[in-house]
Amino acid sequence: MPTLVIATPEDPTCPASNSRHLAENIPGSTLVTIEGMGHAIPRAVVPRLGAALLSHFEAVEGRAGLR
């Protein structure tokens, strides 16, 4: 299953190292780090987060031949 793992370096609850560990152990996963993002989603990171999600969805859609 295509999996997007998002690392949030400012998150005190779930360190970015946890995200890296997940990405390393989920075959075929993609790791994206959103600088400035913590456990909440500040308005300033919404464009970067949205772009990462859209890119992932488009890649999955393309692999599934859904276009």
Side-chain angles (χ1 to χ4, degrees):
M1 176 59 65
T3 304
L4 176 64
V5 179
I6 300 173
T8 55
E10 310 303 319
D11 188 346
T13 307
C14 182
S17 60
N18 290 5
S19 299
R20 285 190 297 277
H21 176 78
L22 280 173
E24 290 168 358
N25 289 283
I26 299 174
S29 67
T30 301
L31 175 65
V32 172
T33 300
I34 306 290
E35 296 296 333
M37 185 171 163
H39 201 71
I41 303 173
R43 186 177 296 263
V45 304
V46 169
R48 287 178 280 162
L49 179 59
L53 291 169
L54 184 58
S55 176
H56 177 72
F57 297 149
E58 287 174 342
V60 169
E61 187 176 65
R63 281 183 272 186
L66 299 174
R67 291 183 183 219

